């Protein structure tokens, strides 16, 4: 636009003078037309010079009416071009082709990895998670709205989740057997010692059991780290005590192994049915509340970023998916909420898709909805709904669900 200036308009002598919007000064007209066309007209300002005037009087006249294709006014993004919508039965091949082309373009646009702690590093992680979200939706379409239950779909999901950069740098993924000389060297690098059995503790446990006090016997076994006794006895008690025993086992035996144990600790919490507490192994509750707690037992770990466990979300997700347990979708929903709370909306939606049986996919005005547009955050009110990628990806997601039996 040009520089701003005050124009001296000629005042009309008819009823237009009563227009409160003063449209007689000229206003642009834009209208959406049928078939992807737009109609535009911009006013013209004609100057009239009079004797003794230093500045001209300006009269607004109607401009040229133009009929244009919307692509001339708003060129489509390369990722969005060729979308085969509106989607309906029989368009599965077209949708898969479009998704694969879009994924290829997103991979080409993926920025290089940045150093942790820098702002571009978060952009790189979000870009990776966005690409992964598209790949998961592609798996959903290819397998007719199903992401579990058959070896083929499980292998496709595994490949997608492990596709970006590897889950464990320099180490095999958890659950992958190590073979050959490397296995022997890995095993020999850790000291092996037999668990010491305390006969006195076992005698006390037997005494508690002889009195029928199984709860005291279970907690005696926990205190003495006799985990076999503790788990066997607590499995016959209430589920709350069983969950507490597992929590103590994770705290004393798993988290003490060292870095990289967060996802395994979270999985064990899921096994115990501690779905809401499982995310505490990734980001402690104190950190989510905004407090910085110091671990007196491990002073070296006090400087560790309390939210660094968020980067273990993909590893945790794979562990849960490869080791399904009853109602573990509750844990996936909780993991998604954790990621969404820290602005990792693409990662959160991946977890929601795997927990779609209990996730509510609804409108932005619905307080119960966990997902509204796939890959878009409804809390960002300024840009929400303006990203066509999330709109089209949501349509593809609904199309994939329509192919399923549920």
């Amino acid at each position: 636009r040009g520089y701003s200036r005050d124009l001296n308009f000629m005042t009309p002598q008819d009823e237009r003078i009563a227009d409160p919007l003063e449209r007689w000064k000229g206003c642009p007209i834009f209208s959406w037309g049928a078939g992807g066309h737009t109609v535009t007209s911009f006013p013209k300002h004609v100057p009239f010079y009079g004797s003794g005037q230093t500045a001209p009087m300006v009269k607004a006249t109607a401009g040229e009416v133009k009929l244009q294709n919307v692509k001339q006014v708003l060129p489509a993004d390369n990722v969005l071009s060729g979308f085969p919508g509106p989607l309906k039965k029989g368009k599965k091949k077209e949708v898969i082709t479009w998704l694969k082309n879009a994924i290829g373009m997103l991979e080409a646009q993926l920025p290089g990895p940045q150093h942790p702690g820098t702002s571009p590093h978060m952009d790189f992680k979000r870009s990776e998670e966005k690409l992964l979200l598209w790949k998961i939706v592609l798996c959903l379409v290819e397998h007719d709205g199903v992401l579990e239950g058959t070896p083929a779909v499980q292998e496709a999901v595994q490949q997608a989740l492990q596709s970006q950069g590897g889950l464990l740098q320099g180490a095999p993924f958890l659950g992958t057997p190590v073979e050959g000389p490397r296995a022997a060297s890995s095993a020999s690098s850790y000291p092996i010692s037999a668990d010491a059995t305390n006969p006195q503790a076992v005698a006390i446990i037997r005494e508690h059991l002889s009195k029928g006090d199984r709860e005291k016997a279970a907690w005696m076994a926990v205190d003495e780290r006799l985990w076999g006794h503790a788990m066997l006895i607590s499995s016959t008690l209430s589920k709350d005590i069983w969950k507490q025993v597992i929590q103590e086992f994770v705290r004393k035996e798993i988290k003490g192994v060292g870095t990289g144990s967060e996802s395994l600790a979270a999985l064990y919490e899921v096994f115990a049915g501690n779905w809401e507490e499982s995310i505490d192994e990734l980001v402690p509750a104190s950190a989510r509340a905004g407090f910085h707690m110091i671990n007196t037992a491990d002073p070296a770990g006090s400087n560790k970023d309390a939210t660094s466990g968020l980067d273990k979300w993909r590893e945790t997700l794979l562990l849960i998916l490869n080791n399904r347990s009853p109602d573990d979708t509750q844990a996936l929903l909780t993991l998604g909420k954790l990621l969404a709370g820290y602005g990792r909306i693409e990662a959160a939606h991946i977890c929601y898709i795997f927990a779609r049986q209990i996730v509510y996919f609804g409108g932005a005005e619905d307080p119960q909805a966990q997902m509204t547009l796939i890959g878009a955050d409804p809390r960002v009110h300024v840009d929400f709904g303006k990203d066509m990628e999330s709109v089209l990806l949501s349509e593809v997601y609904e199309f994939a669900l329509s192919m399923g039996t549920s």
Side-chain angles (χ1 to χ4, degrees), residues 345-361:
I345 200 66
E346 296 86 1
H349 283 184
I350 293 172
C351 297
Y352 289 159
I353 289 174
F354 283 103
R356 59 195 178 281
Q357 297 88 345
I358 60 172
V359 170
Y360 189 67
F361 182 51

Side-chain angles (χ1 to χ4, degrees), residues 126-288:
R126 290 285 302 275
S127 299
E128 267 198 326
E129 290 163 2
K130 176 182 177 180
L131 177 59
L132 181 57
L133 176 61
W134 281 69
K135 289 183 176 181
I136 295 300
V137 174
L138 174 61
C139 289
L140 196 67
V141 175
E142 288 179 327
H143 296 88
D144 297 332
V146 175
L147 285 177
E148 55 277 313
T150 64
V153 69
Q154 289 175 352
E155 183 180 356
V157 168
Q158 184 105 355
Q159 289 179 352
L161 289 174
Q162 290 183 316
S163 58
Q164 272 91 267
L167 294 171
L168 295 176
Q169 297 296 332
F173 175 64
L174 291 176
T176 304
V178 182
E179 300 177 355
R182 182 180 175 186
S185 62
S186 299
S188 61
S189 62
Y190 294 97
I192 301 176
S193 59
D195 292 338
T197 302
N198 187 344
Q200 185 178 0
V202 175
I204 296 174
I205 291 173
R206 185 176 63 247
E207 182 179 348
H208 286 315
L209 291 175
S210 66
K211 297 177 181 177
D213 199 340
R214 285 180 290 177
E215 186 172 348
K216 280 188 177 180
W219 289 117
M220 179 65 189
V222 169
D223 292 339
E224 296 296 326
R225 294 194 172 188
L226 300 173
W227 298 112
H229 295 265
M231 293 183 185
L232 184 60
I233 297 169
S234 63
S235 67
T236 67
L237 297 170
S238 68
K239 191 151 188 174
D240 288 338
I241 295 178
W242 161 256
K243 290 181 178 181
Q244 293 172 24
V245 169
I246 296 298
Q247 282 182 321
E248 287 297 309
F249 171 73
V250 169
R251 184 175 66 86
K252 293 180 178 180
E253 301 298 332
I254 304 301
K255 297 179 76 171
V257 172
T259 58
S261 62
E262 296 95 340
S263 56
L264 183 61
L267 177 67
Y268 284 177
E269 293 284 11
V270 174
F271 283 166
N274 295 326
W275 306 301
E276 297 292 334
E277 295 81 1
S278 62
I279 60 172
D280 294 343
E281 309 304 333
L282 301 180
V283 180
S286 57
R288 300 200 302 272

